[in-house]
Amino acid sequence: MASPSLMETLFQRGLDDIIKGVRHQQSSTESIFISRVIEEIRREIKSTDLQTKSTALQKLTYLNSIHFIDMSWASFHAIECISSPAFSHKKIGYLAISQSFSESTPVILLISNQLRKDLKSGNEFEVSLALDCLSRIGTVDLCRDLASEVFILMSSSKVFIRKKAIGVVLRLFEKYPDAVRVCFKKLVESLEGSDSPIVSAVVGVFCELSAKDPRSYLPLAPEFYRILVDSKNNWVLIKVLKIFVKLAPLEPRLAKRLVEPICDHMRKTGAKSLVFECIRTVVTSFTEYESAMKLAAAKIREFLMEDDPNLKYLGLHAISIMAPKHLWAVLENKDVVIQSLSDEDPNIKLESLRLVMAMASESNLMETCRVLVNYALKSDPDFCNEILGSILSTCCQNVYEVIIDFDWYVSLLGEMSRIPNCKKGEEIENQLIDIGMRVKDVRPELVRIARDLLIDPALLGNPFLHRLLSAAAWVCGEYVEFSRNPVELMEALLQPRTSLLPSSIRTVYMQSAFKILIFCMHSYFLQKEDMTSEVSDLASKRECSESSDLATGKALVQSDQDEGFNPRESNQSFEYPSVVDTGDGQSSTPTFMEKKSLMHESIVNLLNLMELVLSPLSGSLDVEIQERACNVLGFIELVQQEFSNPLIQKEANLDREEVIASRVVEWVHDGFTEELGPVSVTAQDRVPIPDELVLKENLTDLEAICGGVELPAPGSFSLTSPYYGESAVFSVSNLQAEEDSEPSTESTSLLTEHRKRHELYYLPSEKNKIPANDYPPANDPSSSINTNDATEDLVKLADQSLVSKRKPNHAKPRPVVVKLEEGEAAPVVSKKPELKDDLLSGAIHDILLGNEAKAASSQSNPFDKSSSKRKGKAKHVDLLDSKENLAVGEQPNHENPSSRRSKHRGDGKQKSKKSKGKKNGDGREDDGEKESQKIRDHHGRHKSRQRADAPINVVPQTPDIPDYLL
Amino acid sequence: MLVAVNVLSTCMFQIQFVLLISRQGKVRLTKWYSPYTQKERSKVILVYKRYASLYFCMCIDQDDNELEVLEIIHHFVEILDRYFGSVCELDLIFNFHKAYYVLDEILIAGELQESSKKTVARLIAAQDSLVETAKEQASSISNIIAQATK
């Protein structure tokens, strides 16, 4: 037995040999070498000789930390090494454990005893090893078992050990919050003095603790204040400042006291890190102190002037913290900010971009965007998209608040989408559609831009732009009446390269093409009606056989109407011509309609083109494409006959056919001309709850179900139609005629809201509910029949949202942007107050029940630096604070000086403690209990510590409550 | 140099991990302070500085002071420098464990624990001598003979 061990000891390869060996390997042979070494280690590590074992372990640790070789199999051997009496073995063992152990290491509990032994060791370095190890791997069990040992070490005579023990406390508290009971007092006492390493360590601990739950540390503010004033150690000062940033919002009086010393440090210190921390403290917490802000701004300016990119970045970063409230700070440094856009450091560029956008306002937006787009053209793809993204998000803020000239903005969108690196197709898509729906005046320009995008075959090759093209296609289909040349649009939509599009977008293309077809045919029929009416009215001499045909057709239509088939239609057929005629004079844009250039052949050509392109698609594997193609083809078949061979069938049955065709076209056109408008995200909220409706009390179980259908971003809207316009909407004058209708009824908005959420599951046929973006209903001739009721409701609804007093086109004043009142304007903000309300009410609830009434209001000055500071410590939380604070269970107890600080973790324990403490709070109802419990649970995650008052201390607190309630 | 990155982390400690990477991208030292087991996405900042051929990286939270961490890095490097006598990458390669021991004296639980270079140097030297004594004992001939004849 002895000899192999001896041999191994004598001839074992050391760490150096391994390192050298690995370094001499080619990268190809390295892994072979390593696996050979591992084999060797596996043998050696089993040796009974601890020297051999520990050397093997050290080699393994090396391979693990540099070459990421698994060493979990050796965890037991590591434990063997730390139990060696020799310090060198211990050290190797502890290193291995620190590097490789985790919560899930099975043997981790085995080290508990060894750790305890080492923590109690007379050799301070062994203690130190054990502390280091515990701070790294401490589990709940380990921390619980060893808390008392650590506590003893916190009073060690050796500074070196004491500060390590304090460092370990952080791990202890995190894993085993009950350790607070034992250690907290000691920790607070360690704050005495101002410059020893101990204070540095304690402040570090408090800095981390207060980040999670600042309120509990408020009573220590005087101590921290003393350190802030007295300490000369920059590291300590930085941490104290961090603590104060957390405390300041909780105690308004703190700020006044703190501003001076902080400004002092800012002026005097040479350490940039401290200056920066002061700046950050001021700009985040003391924004209302002007002199401090000015000083901070001056210091920031110094940072910006530095060559060091880090300082420049941090300076910009600090300004961006100031920007929302103190825009002057940005404007003062405008030059540097703009310059930094072309800095080589990406972080600086991003930061300055943010600031440039912060400076953008109505007046300089166009200029800013122009400059930025130029930068985008020159930049690398990432930054280019950052720029585009921030332009897009700035411009759409609060429903395009900053934009006055929408024509300009729409063309900017077009320009942006042509930037080669543009990957913002989706956002541009949303905005194009959004603007189309909200801003009527911009539609002609929008269609023009969309057309330019569509007819460019090159764009189809860029997958990032597909979404954008889908928006362009939708816009062209929806607002085709503003187009100068629908035929050209149609050709663009049906071009062969559309096969490059994903099928979901292709369906949009097809649907838009269909809309355009309907539009063209409809205007063709109108033209003819126009002509016929002229013929009949004026008894024209024109001998056009076609028109006489039509006249008969017309008569048939009228006979149909006489039967009461569709009263609306009869109106239209008489009114249309006049509308179109007058429209000519009014409108300044020569839209296609007014040119009246649709010839019979062009319709036939359109039909043929569509048929040609769509026929192959009726066999498409994608159901959406297939269905749409079939629908359109069916329609084409229906109307094509009389269009394709009018001359042959001129006499006989053509009349009937054409009537059918024109009527079908009329219906579908009616469907398509319904206007789409935005729907408020909060529409649902405005619906009052009917009296008889009994709501389930607890709906939390619904959350799981509804979570999946949560709406995307605030400010979003769906494309369902709240606005069912009259079917004759195709000229600008007519559009304007529709502005006045009555406000909506709740039920419709409820319906719309529901529809919006569950768009996919609605059947479009029932009420002729109008094309949504992605799933337009197929042409269903019967659908327009019973639209009237729904139409009225929808018109009402729409009117509520359309605050439209539009001026005629092209007037430079800002066009009307459809907004949906409060709901949409500030959806982001609306979330928070609600939450706060909840918790606030919970807090008040608790206070009323006499639970949490603690802090006696300002009876002592928190900054009392005299010997009575401990007394003052716990007493300056006032009523206001506790109400504002969200964490109900978190108000610091009014402690006895002896019990000092404590915390809690909010569950069962807490409750029992509380009821013990508040024996006089007998009025506490179950409800209240539950309520506050819930809140506490809600916050439980943040508060892992347990308020650890010993019961003895709790009793004397209760008298404070009535005081507080006064 | 400061870089903002997205890393999975939830952390109670200031410094979440320390990383030394060579210019060739080889890892020379890793030390994790935060348990990366229960993960939660949050934005953290990677602060790094290059000394000769080595990048010293430390990962901190968003609202931590980047400059302070740069100073900690520098502090670490100065102590290494003093300990190894103008430190170079090779020193750290061949004495990887010592680099860890030095780091352990500077940071505990992700917090700076000792801001005095002298103190750290003294502590490290004391431990080294302890190790040496232990080693000498272990490798003395009599010990080996005792082992062999056990």
Side-chain angles (χ1 to χ4, degrees), chain A residues 2 6 23 58 65-66 91 99 125 136 160 163-164 174 208 239 242 273 277 280 310 347, chain B residues 1-2 12 14 28 30 32 63-65 71 93 97 100 105 111 113-114 126-127 144 148:
Chain A
L6 178 62
R23 283 172 64 80
Q58 190 174 35
S65 69
I66 306 300
K91 207 165 181 181
Q99 287 299 104
F125 295 108
R136 172 66 193 82
F160 160 64
K163 85 186 174 211
K164 285 206 176 196
E174 190 191 45
E208 297 307 318
K239 297 228 184 266
K242 278 185 194 303
S273 54
E277 198 59 45
R280 185 153 56 184
N310 289 335
N347 288 316
Chain B
M1 297 293 141
L2 318 166
M12 184 157 180
Q14 185 194 8
R28 295 298 179 212
T30 50
W32 299 77
D63 48 357
D64 269 317
N65 189 324
E71 280 168 16
I93 293 172
H97 50 297
Y100 280 103
E105 292 306 323
E111 301 289 329
Q113 59 160 330
E114 185 53 72
Q127 293 184 58
I144 292 174

Tab-separated table of all heavy atoms in Angstrom, chain A residues 2 6 23 58 65-66 91 99 125 136 160 163-164 174 208 239 242 273 277 280 310 347, chain B residues 1-2 12 14 28 30 32 63-65 71 93 97 100 105 111 113-114 126-127 144 148:
chain	number	residue	atom	x	y	z
A	2	ALA	N	1.913	1.179	0.771
A	2	ALA	CA	2.689	2.390	0.984
A	2	ALA	C	3.425	2.818	-0.269
A	2	ALA	O	3.486	3.985	-0.578
A	2	ALA	CB	3.677	2.173	2.115
A	6	LEU	N	3.951	6.486	-2.053
A	6	LEU	CA	5.263	7.137	-2.003
A	6	LEU	C	5.708	7.516	-3.408
A	6	LEU	O	6.175	8.630	-3.650
A	6	LEU	CB	6.270	6.178	-1.375
A	6	LEU	CG	7.703	6.703	-1.307
A	6	LEU	CD1	7.763	7.961	-0.443
A	6	LEU	CD2	8.635	5.639	-0.786
A	23	ARG	N	0.516	24.721	-21.904
A	23	ARG	CA	0.953	25.824	-22.757
A	23	ARG	C	1.746	25.346	-23.972
A	23	ARG	O	1.786	26.028	-24.989
A	23	ARG	CB	1.782	26.816	-21.952
A	23	ARG	CG	0.935	27.711	-21.067
A	23	ARG	CD	1.784	28.529	-20.154
A	23	ARG	NE	2.645	29.462	-20.868
A	23	ARG	CZ	2.242	30.630	-21.348
A	23	ARG	NH1	0.987	30.999	-21.194
A	23	ARG	NH2	3.059	31.425	-21.982
A	58	GLN	N	-5.299	20.912	-6.501
A	58	GLN	CA	-4.905	22.229	-7.008
A	58	GLN	C	-4.830	22.225	-8.534
A	58	GLN	O	-5.270	23.158	-9.189
A	58	GLN	CB	-3.544	22.600	-6.417
A	58	GLN	CG	-3.154	24.024	-6.689
A	58	GLN	CD	-1.877	24.406	-5.981
A	58	GLN	OE1	-0.980	23.569	-5.838
A	58	GLN	NE2	-1.793	25.637	-5.532
A	65	SER	N	-10.794	26.344	-13.456
A	65	SER	CA	-11.037	27.777	-13.576
A	65	SER	C	-10.534	28.343	-14.892
A	65	SER	O	-11.044	29.350	-15.357
A	65	SER	CB	-10.412	28.526	-12.400
A	65	SER	OG	-9.017	28.476	-12.505
A	66	ILE	N	-9.568	27.707	-15.497
A	66	ILE	CA	-9.063	28.239	-16.768
A	66	ILE	C	-9.631	27.489	-17.967
A	66	ILE	O	-9.936	28.072	-18.983
A	66	ILE	CB	-7.518	28.175	-16.806
A	66	ILE	CG1	-6.921	28.864	-15.578
A	66	ILE	CG2	-6.976	28.785	-18.086
A	66	ILE	CD1	-7.272	30.327	-15.432
A	91	LYS	N	-5.626	25.554	2.453
A	91	LYS	CA	-5.795	26.675	1.544
A	91	LYS	C	-6.200	26.193	0.150
A	91	LYS	O	-7.099	26.747	-0.475
A	91	LYS	CB	-4.469	27.455	1.473
A	91	LYS	CG	-4.703	28.877	1.127
A	91	LYS	CD	-3.505	29.744	1.398
A	91	LYS	CE	-3.892	31.151	1.015
A	91	LYS	NZ	-2.858	32.122	1.187
A	99	GLN	N	-14.406	27.802	-5.527
A	99	GLN	CA	-14.575	27.854	-6.972
A	99	GLN	C	-15.665	26.919	-7.474
A	99	GLN	O	-16.312	27.215	-8.458
A	99	GLN	CB	-13.261	27.502	-7.683
A	99	GLN	CG	-12.207	28.569	-7.621
A	99	GLN	CD	-12.648	29.859	-8.285
A	99	GLN	OE1	-12.991	30.820	-7.617
A	99	GLN	NE2	-12.663	29.872	-9.599
A	125	PHE	N	-5.530	33.057	10.191
A	125	PHE	CA	-5.616	32.853	8.746
A	125	PHE	C	-6.543	31.701	8.396
A	125	PHE	O	-7.174	31.693	7.353
A	125	PHE	CB	-4.223	32.656	8.157
A	125	PHE	CG	-3.387	33.897	8.302
A	125	PHE	CD1	-2.342	33.953	9.203
A	125	PHE	CD2	-3.699	35.028	7.555
A	125	PHE	CE1	-1.598	35.107	9.348
A	125	PHE	CE2	-2.960	36.189	7.697
A	125	PHE	CZ	-1.902	36.237	8.606
A	136	ARG	N	-18.692	32.944	0.144
A	136	ARG	CA	-18.866	32.573	-1.247
A	136	ARG	C	-19.909	31.477	-1.434
A	136	ARG	O	-20.717	31.533	-2.355
A	136	ARG	CB	-17.510	32.125	-1.811
A	136	ARG	CG	-17.512	31.531	-3.196
A	136	ARG	CD	-17.896	32.548	-4.260
A	136	ARG	NE	-18.183	31.859	-5.505
A	136	ARG	CZ	-19.336	31.290	-5.793
A	136	ARG	NH1	-20.330	31.347	-4.924
A	136	ARG	NH2	-19.523	30.666	-6.937
A	160	PHE	N	-8.626	42.493	11.142
A	160	PHE	CA	-8.612	41.682	9.928
A	160	PHE	C	-9.768	40.667	9.925
A	160	PHE	O	-10.473	40.494	8.932
A	160	PHE	CB	-7.224	41.039	9.888
A	160	PHE	CG	-7.090	39.823	9.041
A	160	PHE	CD1	-7.270	39.914	7.670
A	160	PHE	CD2	-6.726	38.606	9.599
A	160	PHE	CE1	-7.102	38.794	6.873
A	160	PHE	CE2	-6.558	37.499	8.807
A	160	PHE	CZ	-6.745	37.584	7.436
A	163	LYS	N	-13.462	42.565	10.110
A	163	LYS	CA	-14.028	43.128	8.883
A	163	LYS	C	-14.492	42.021	7.935
A	163	LYS	O	-15.485	42.167	7.233
A	163	LYS	CB	-13.026	44.071	8.218
A	163	LYS	CG	-12.061	43.376	7.342
A	163	LYS	CD	-10.995	44.240	6.796
A	163	LYS	CE	-10.067	43.298	6.061
A	163	LYS	NZ	-8.700	43.652	6.034
A	164	LYS	N	-13.780	40.895	7.991
A	164	LYS	CA	-14.246	39.781	7.154
A	164	LYS	C	-15.572	39.245	7.670
A	164	LYS	O	-16.463	38.908	6.883
A	164	LYS	CB	-13.216	38.660	7.121
A	164	LYS	CG	-12.044	39.013	6.243
A	164	LYS	CD	-11.344	37.794	5.685
A	164	LYS	CE	-10.255	38.292	4.753
A	164	LYS	NZ	-9.735	37.281	3.879
A	174	GLU	N	-28.699	37.363	3.696
A	174	GLU	CA	-29.411	37.016	2.478
A	174	GLU	C	-29.965	35.602	2.562
A	174	GLU	O	-31.097	35.336	2.180
A	174	GLU	CB	-28.482	37.127	1.274
A	174	GLU	CG	-29.233	37.016	-0.021
A	174	GLU	CD	-28.317	36.854	-1.205
A	174	GLU	OE1	-27.361	36.057	-1.134
A	174	GLU	OE2	-28.541	37.526	-2.199
A	208	GLU	N	-25.624	47.733	0.596
A	208	GLU	CA	-26.341	46.682	-0.124
A	208	GLU	C	-27.696	46.409	0.501
A	208	GLU	O	-28.691	46.214	-0.197
A	208	GLU	CB	-25.518	45.389	-0.152
A	208	GLU	CG	-24.205	45.500	-0.897
A	208	GLU	CD	-24.356	46.038	-2.306
A	208	GLU	OE1	-25.302	45.617	-2.995
A	208	GLU	OE2	-23.542	46.889	-2.694
A	239	LYS	N	-20.199	55.060	-0.703
A	239	LYS	CA	-21.239	54.136	-0.242
A	239	LYS	C	-22.277	54.861	0.602
A	239	LYS	O	-23.478	54.591	0.501
A	239	LYS	CB	-20.616	53.003	0.566
A	239	LYS	CG	-19.677	52.171	-0.259
A	239	LYS	CD	-19.960	50.719	-0.071
A	239	LYS	CE	-18.975	49.856	-0.810
A	239	LYS	NZ	-19.442	49.462	-2.128
A	242	LYS	N	-24.621	56.563	-1.594
A	242	LYS	CA	-25.572	55.611	-2.176
A	242	LYS	C	-26.701	55.313	-1.197
A	242	LYS	O	-27.861	55.188	-1.585
A	242	LYS	CB	-24.868	54.309	-2.534
A	242	LYS	CG	-24.161	54.336	-3.850
A	242	LYS	CD	-23.614	52.960	-4.116
A	242	LYS	CE	-22.615	52.978	-5.245
A	242	LYS	NZ	-23.193	53.528	-6.468
A	273	SER	N	-14.370	59.683	-8.920
A	273	SER	CA	-15.450	58.776	-8.572
A	273	SER	C	-16.362	59.399	-7.528
A	273	SER	O	-17.589	59.273	-7.603
A	273	SER	CB	-14.887	57.452	-8.055
A	273	SER	OG	-14.002	57.688	-6.997
A	277	GLU	N	-20.253	60.454	-7.901
A	277	GLU	CA	-21.291	59.973	-7.006
A	277	GLU	C	-22.093	61.146	-6.435
A	277	GLU	O	-23.318	61.067	-6.304
A	277	GLU	CB	-20.670	59.132	-5.877
A	277	GLU	CG	-21.647	58.250	-5.144
A	277	GLU	CD	-22.363	57.252	-6.046
A	277	GLU	OE1	-21.683	56.630	-6.877
A	277	GLU	OE2	-23.586	57.124	-5.926
A	280	ARG	N	-24.375	62.370	-9.103
A	280	ARG	CA	-25.522	61.490	-9.296
A	280	ARG	C	-26.514	61.631	-8.143
A	280	ARG	O	-27.727	61.617	-8.343
A	280	ARG	CB	-25.060	60.047	-9.426
A	280	ARG	CG	-26.224	59.132	-9.744
A	280	ARG	CD	-25.840	57.905	-10.486
A	280	ARG	NE	-24.825	57.121	-9.793
A	280	ARG	CZ	-24.283	56.032	-10.293
A	280	ARG	NH1	-24.632	55.621	-11.478
A	280	ARG	NH2	-23.387	55.361	-9.625
A	310	ASN	N	-14.536	57.581	-20.587
A	310	ASN	CA	-15.372	57.166	-19.466
A	310	ASN	C	-16.046	58.359	-18.814
A	310	ASN	O	-17.238	58.346	-18.518
A	310	ASN	CB	-14.540	56.450	-18.399
A	310	ASN	CG	-14.104	55.091	-18.860
A	310	ASN	OD1	-14.751	54.495	-19.707
A	310	ASN	ND2	-12.994	54.614	-18.333
A	347	ASN	N	-21.107	53.734	-26.564
A	347	ASN	CA	-21.928	54.152	-25.421
A	347	ASN	C	-22.120	55.657	-25.402
A	347	ASN	O	-23.183	56.157	-25.064
A	347	ASN	CB	-21.289	53.693	-24.113
A	347	ASN	CG	-21.417	52.207	-23.934
A	347	ASN	OD1	-22.468	51.648	-24.182
A	347	ASN	ND2	-20.333	51.567	-23.533
B	1	MET	N	-13.110	51.741	-19.016
B	1	MET	CA	-14.060	51.376	-20.059
B	1	MET	C	-15.302	50.773	-19.430
B	1	MET	O	-15.218	49.945	-18.543
B	1	MET	CB	-13.439	50.309	-20.975
B	1	MET	CG	-12.230	50.790	-21.704
B	1	MET	SD	-12.674	52.044	-22.883
B	1	MET	CE	-11.288	53.137	-22.689
B	2	LEU	N	-16.408	51.220	-19.885
B	2	LEU	CA	-17.642	50.736	-19.303
B	2	LEU	C	-18.497	50.178	-20.417
B	2	LEU	O	-18.649	50.786	-21.452
B	2	LEU	CB	-18.397	51.880	-18.648
B	2	LEU	CG	-17.521	52.835	-17.852
B	2	LEU	CD1	-18.287	54.082	-17.534
B	2	LEU	CD2	-17.034	52.171	-16.606
B	12	MET	N	-27.124	40.630	-4.538
B	12	MET	CA	-27.172	41.460	-3.368
B	12	MET	C	-25.815	42.113	-3.182
B	12	MET	O	-25.638	42.971	-2.344
B	12	MET	CB	-27.481	40.553	-2.183
B	12	MET	CG	-27.660	41.279	-0.906
B	12	MET	SD	-28.623	40.295	0.190
B	12	MET	CE	-28.670	41.387	1.587
B	14	GLN	N	-22.268	44.081	-4.352
B	14	GLN	CA	-21.927	45.143	-5.284
B	14	GLN	C	-21.306	44.577	-6.551
B	14	GLN	O	-21.771	44.818	-7.650
B	14	GLN	CB	-20.978	46.136	-4.633
B	14	GLN	CG	-20.724	47.313	-5.548
B	14	GLN	CD	-19.551	48.147	-5.122
B	14	GLN	OE1	-18.815	47.785	-4.218
B	14	GLN	NE2	-19.360	49.272	-5.766
B	28	ARG	N	-8.266	34.115	-17.588
B	28	ARG	CA	-7.170	33.898	-16.648
B	28	ARG	C	-7.643	33.793	-15.209
B	28	ARG	O	-6.934	33.268	-14.369
B	28	ARG	CB	-6.153	35.047	-16.766
B	28	ARG	CG	-5.438	35.114	-18.101
B	28	ARG	CD	-4.627	33.869	-18.358
B	28	ARG	NE	-3.964	33.901	-19.648
B	28	ARG	CZ	-3.719	32.821	-20.377
B	28	ARG	NH1	-4.092	31.630	-19.945
B	28	ARG	NH2	-3.107	32.928	-21.538
B	30	THR	N	-11.552	33.721	-12.854
B	30	THR	CA	-12.976	34.010	-12.714
B	30	THR	C	-13.358	33.865	-11.258
B	30	THR	O	-12.956	32.920	-10.596
B	30	THR	CB	-13.856	33.014	-13.486
B	30	THR	OG1	-13.437	31.701	-13.139
B	30	THR	CG2	-13.793	33.215	-14.960
B	32	TRP	N	-16.906	34.374	-8.946
B	32	TRP	CA	-18.325	34.755	-8.911
B	32	TRP	C	-18.741	35.028	-7.482
B	32	TRP	O	-18.504	34.224	-6.601
B	32	TRP	CB	-19.175	33.636	-9.496
B	32	TRP	CG	-18.834	33.341	-10.910
B	32	TRP	CD1	-17.752	32.636	-11.349
B	32	TRP	CD2	-19.523	33.767	-12.068
B	32	TRP	NE1	-17.737	32.608	-12.707
B	32	TRP	CE2	-18.817	33.284	-13.182
B	32	TRP	CE3	-20.692	34.512	-12.274
B	32	TRP	CZ2	-19.231	33.528	-14.481
B	32	TRP	CZ3	-21.104	34.743	-13.569
B	32	TRP	CH2	-20.374	34.248	-14.658
B	63	ASP	N	-26.869	50.967	-11.000
B	63	ASP	CA	-26.712	52.213	-10.250
B	63	ASP	C	-25.449	52.217	-9.389
B	63	ASP	O	-25.330	53.014	-8.472
B	63	ASP	CB	-27.958	52.508	-9.417
B	63	ASP	CG	-28.397	51.307	-8.630
B	63	ASP	OD1	-27.747	50.259	-8.808
B	63	ASP	OD2	-29.360	51.393	-7.857
B	64	ASP	N	-24.546	51.320	-9.691
B	64	ASP	CA	-23.289	51.387	-8.973
B	64	ASP	C	-22.348	52.368	-9.651
B	64	ASP	O	-22.537	52.722	-10.807
B	64	ASP	CB	-22.644	49.997	-8.900
B	64	ASP	CG	-23.084	49.273	-7.651
B	64	ASP	OD1	-23.124	49.925	-6.594
B	64	ASP	OD2	-23.394	48.073	-7.733
B	65	ASN	N	-21.347	52.741	-8.905
B	65	ASN	CA	-20.439	53.771	-9.401
B	65	ASN	C	-19.320	53.145	-10.225
B	65	ASN	O	-18.451	52.449	-9.709
B	65	ASN	CB	-19.868	54.525	-8.195
B	65	ASN	CG	-19.093	55.736	-8.616
B	65	ASN	OD1	-18.417	55.723	-9.637
B	65	ASN	ND2	-19.204	56.783	-7.835
B	71	GLU	N	-11.527	52.117	-9.861
B	71	GLU	CA	-10.503	52.293	-8.828
B	71	GLU	C	-10.211	50.982	-8.112
B	71	GLU	O	-9.065	50.706	-7.758
B	71	GLU	CB	-10.939	53.376	-7.842
B	71	GLU	CG	-10.682	54.765	-8.407
B	71	GLU	CD	-11.361	55.864	-7.595
B	71	GLU	OE1	-11.760	55.599	-6.447
B	71	GLU	OE2	-11.480	56.973	-8.127
B	93	ILE	N	-0.590	33.361	-14.701
B	93	ILE	CA	-0.835	32.019	-15.219
B	93	ILE	C	-0.235	30.973	-14.288
B	93	ILE	O	-0.887	30.015	-13.887
B	93	ILE	CB	-0.241	31.869	-16.635
B	93	ILE	CG1	-1.013	32.754	-17.610
B	93	ILE	CG2	-0.272	30.425	-17.085
B	93	ILE	CD1	-0.403	32.840	-18.982
B	97	HIS	N	-3.488	30.443	-8.341
B	97	HIS	CA	-4.105	30.367	-7.018
B	97	HIS	C	-3.771	31.586	-6.174
B	97	HIS	O	-4.585	32.074	-5.415
B	97	HIS	CB	-3.687	29.092	-6.320
B	97	HIS	CG	-2.197	28.852	-6.321
B	97	HIS	ND1	-1.487	28.675	-7.491
B	97	HIS	CD2	-1.303	28.785	-5.317
B	97	HIS	CE1	-0.204	28.485	-7.199
B	97	HIS	NE2	-0.068	28.561	-5.881
B	100	TYR	N	-5.986	34.392	-6.824
B	100	TYR	CA	-7.246	34.250	-6.098
B	100	TYR	C	-7.095	34.668	-4.645
B	100	TYR	O	-7.963	35.321	-4.073
B	100	TYR	CB	-7.739	32.804	-6.145
B	100	TYR	CG	-8.430	32.444	-7.437
B	100	TYR	CD1	-7.780	31.696	-8.396
B	100	TYR	CD2	-9.729	32.861	-7.678
B	100	TYR	CE1	-8.406	31.363	-9.580
B	100	TYR	CE2	-10.366	32.535	-8.862
B	100	TYR	CZ	-9.703	31.780	-9.814
B	100	TYR	OH	-10.331	31.461	-10.983
B	105	GLU	N	-8.407	38.755	-0.395
B	105	GLU	CA	-8.091	39.726	0.647
B	105	GLU	C	-8.647	41.103	0.314
B	105	GLU	O	-8.768	41.962	1.185
B	105	GLU	CB	-6.570	39.827	0.854
B	105	GLU	CG	-5.940	38.583	1.451
B	105	GLU	CD	-6.613	38.143	2.748
B	105	GLU	OE1	-7.023	39.009	3.539
B	105	GLU	OE2	-6.744	36.908	2.946
B	111	GLU	N	-17.779	42.881	-1.886
B	111	GLU	CA	-17.527	44.219	-1.351
B	111	GLU	C	-16.031	44.409	-1.147
B	111	GLU	O	-15.325	43.475	-0.770
B	111	GLU	CB	-18.207	44.385	0.006
B	111	GLU	CG	-19.688	44.190	-0.012
B	111	GLU	CD	-20.416	45.319	-0.699
B	111	GLU	OE1	-19.917	46.471	-0.646
B	111	GLU	OE2	-21.453	45.062	-1.322
B	113	GLN	N	-13.058	45.041	0.890
B	113	GLN	CA	-12.881	44.896	2.325
B	113	GLN	C	-11.609	45.549	2.837
B	113	GLN	O	-11.482	45.807	4.021
B	113	GLN	CB	-12.910	43.425	2.728
B	113	GLN	CG	-11.844	42.592	2.047
B	113	GLN	CD	-11.578	41.304	2.776
B	113	GLN	OE1	-11.733	41.244	3.990
B	113	GLN	NE2	-11.195	40.282	2.030
B	114	GLU	N	-10.672	45.784	1.966
B	114	GLU	CA	-9.431	46.355	2.475
B	114	GLU	C	-8.906	47.373	1.471
B	114	GLU	O	-8.593	47.034	0.337
B	114	GLU	CB	-8.398	45.241	2.688
B	114	GLU	CG	-7.119	45.701	3.314
B	114	GLU	CD	-7.339	46.479	4.608
B	114	GLU	OE1	-7.701	45.849	5.611
B	114	GLU	OE2	-7.181	47.723	4.609
B	126	ALA	N	2.113	36.885	5.191
B	126	ALA	CA	1.990	36.038	6.377
B	126	ALA	C	1.428	34.677	6.006
B	126	ALA	O	1.908	33.635	6.472
B	126	ALA	CB	1.083	36.729	7.393
B	127	GLN	N	0.449	34.667	5.149
B	127	GLN	CA	-0.155	33.387	4.768
B	127	GLN	C	0.818	32.561	3.940
B	127	GLN	O	0.891	31.345	4.078
B	127	GLN	CB	-1.440	33.628	3.983
B	127	GLN	CG	-2.507	34.249	4.852
B	127	GLN	CD	-3.812	34.398	4.119
B	127	GLN	OE1	-4.369	33.418	3.638
B	127	GLN	NE2	-4.304	35.624	4.048
B	144	ILE	N	8.444	11.960	4.703
B	144	ILE	CA	8.225	11.003	3.619
B	144	ILE	C	8.486	9.587	4.110
B	144	ILE	O	7.731	8.653	3.825
B	144	ILE	CB	9.152	11.329	2.421
B	144	ILE	CG1	8.693	12.643	1.810
B	144	ILE	CG2	9.139	10.215	1.396
B	144	ILE	CD1	9.589	13.166	0.727
B	148	ALA	N	5.988	6.511	4.196
B	148	ALA	CA	6.284	5.271	3.494
B	148	ALA	C	6.207	4.071	4.418
B	148	ALA	O	5.844	2.976	3.994
B	148	ALA	CB	7.659	5.367	2.848
